[in-house]
Amino acid sequence: MTDLTTVLRTDDGVELVATSPEHAGDGAHRISVEYSSLNYKDAMALAGDRAVARILPLVPGIDAVGRLDDGQLVTVNGAGLGERRHGGYTPTVNVDAFTVVPKAFDAFTAAAIGTAGYTAALSVDALRAAVAPSDGPVLVTGATGGVGSIAILLLRSLGYDVAALTGRVDEHGEWLRTLGASEVLDRADFAAKGRPLQKARFAGAVDTVGSHVLVNTLAQIRWGGSVTACGLAQGADLPGTVLPFILRGVNLLGINSVDAPDELREKAWALLAEHLDAGVLATFTEAISLEQVADAGEQLLAGTRRGRTVVAVR
């Protein structure tokens, strides 16, 4: 493989093609891409899911980490990459806006953080504005995924008592405890319809799953607590009631990593620079090539991957 290879999703499937100028898209700033990453949205795009892949053919990759013409290391997370326009699985991307990578991180680490870590930081930043560590334990759902695992690291660094929710307790429970979870809970207890109000166990939560998991999480939040919502791994529906909101004053905080303004993006990356242990992140980050992306995406959708996956573009 050379620097001139691009991953392209077409109506017929995923192809490795020779890079052409159109794959870079439009924008005032040219980024020579070194790394991208594999997120849940990327897996959906690779599968041809039109909820993410708004155009076809499409170069997936909602992250791009590389250098401007002056050598400055920058990253782009979301902003329509790999959804509404060609993304980061190609050697050159033209963009109108970017985030300067904090000096604490090199290019590989910035890609390991990617949209998942940036979304985790947005979620944690919103949650800590509403819930203090002294208020009680907080729950992280989808804990083995990129957002969930990095959220656990950040919350523990900030002094929170963290419970982790996963569908693979036996397989990954011990790993989640090494990340900082004091308790590991089985997703099966949250995945089906439950009572509108349940035992108030948590001061807050970071949810990446949606549907019944989010509804049951809301039903277990203490009075005045808050839950951030950033994902829909179980579904986009919200099959619950208003009772947690009107009887316990629970707050539901939406997290949009794609269109977040620069101020929130910069705060999220500052939080990561201060509180994310890059050495620990490296222990659950795998590097793959562009040729391996399609298979890795299938594994992610099947729930057989954990942690973070960096895609080496060059």
Side-chain angles (χ1 to χ4, degrees):
M1 188 179 69
T2 72
D3 283 350
L4 300 179
T5 303
T6 292
V7 174
L8 192 67
R9 170 71 206 200
T10 70
D11 287 323
D12 298 322
V14 178
E15 304 175 14
L16 281 177
V17 300
T19 300
S20 69
E22 68 181 27
H23 296 145
D26 296 324
H29 306 281
R30 182 176 62 185
I31 300 175
S32 295
V33 182
E34 298 176 16
Y35 298 103
S36 185
S37 67
L38 180 67
N39 302 279
Y40 197 81
K41 276 188 175 180
D42 298 317
M44 294 172 68
L46 289 162
D49 190 326
R50 295 308 294 266
V52 174
R54 307 297 178 85
I55 60 171
L56 286 179
L58 172 72
V59 178
I62 62 175
D63 293 327
V65 178
R67 297 186 185 276
L68 302 177
D69 291 343
D70 64 4
Q72 187 174 42
L73 183 63
V74 299
T75 183
V76 181
N77 307 111
L81 291 185
E83 297 184 71
R84 303 188 294 263
R85 54 156 291 171
H86 290 323
Y89 296 167
T90 191
T92 303
V93 170
N94 296 319
V95 298
D96 287 323
F98 54 81
T99 300
V100 176
V101 173
K103 292 183 179 180
F105 305 129
D106 58 18
F108 184 89
T109 304
I113 293 168
T115 288
Y118 153 63
T119 303
L122 286 173
S123 301
V124 170
D125 198 44
L127 188 66
R128 68 171 176 167
V131 177
S134 59
D135 291 336
V138 296
L139 178 69
V140 175
T141 72
T144 61
V147 177
S149 55
I150 294 177
I152 292 172
L153 290 178
L154 292 174
L155 288 165
R156 283 299 299 155
S157 177
L158 289 165
Y160 289 87
D161 179 13
V162 182
L165 188 72
T166 178
R168 297 175 284 172
V169 174
D170 292 340
E171 184 179 359
H172 296 309
E174 187 55 38
W175 173 64
L176 291 170
R177 290 185 177 90
T178 67
L179 296 186
S182 59
E183 184 179 13
V184 179
L185 304 175
D186 194 336
R187 186 179 62 208
D189 295 332
F190 287 69
K193 183 178 180 179
R195 289 179 289 112
L197 286 178
Q198 301 168 32
K199 181 180 179 181
R201 305 168 64 184
F202 308 107
V206 171
D207 177 65
T208 70
V209 179
S211 193
H212 289 293
V213 169
L214 174 54
V215 170
N216 285 310
T217 297
L218 290 166
Q220 297 183 40
I221 299 299
R222 297 175 181 176
W223 198 98
S226 295
V227 177
T228 65
C230 68
L232 41 66
Q234 187 182 27
D237 57 328
L238 195 65
T241 75
V242 299
L243 293 185
F245 309 117
I246 65 174
L247 295 184
R248 289 184 180 164
V250 173
N251 304 289
L252 182 58
L253 310 175
I255 304 298
N256 177 352
S257 62
V258 176
D259 302 313
D262 289 344
E263 179 184 359
L264 291 182
R265 291 175 182 269
E266 291 167 3
K267 285 181 63 179
W269 278 95
L271 174 64
L272 289 160
E274 184 175 357
H275 288 283
L276 180 65
D277 188 327
V280 176
L281 174 62
T283 66
F284 59 88
T285 299
E286 178 186 2
I288 64 172
S289 66
L290 290 175
E291 292 101 330
Q292 297 171 293
V293 161
D295 288 341
E298 292 179 0
Q299 295 163 8
L300 183 56
L301 291 179
T304 58
R305 298 185 73 83
R306 76 176 191 188
R308 294 293 291 139
T309 304
V310 169
V311 179
V313 177
R314 293 180 180 267

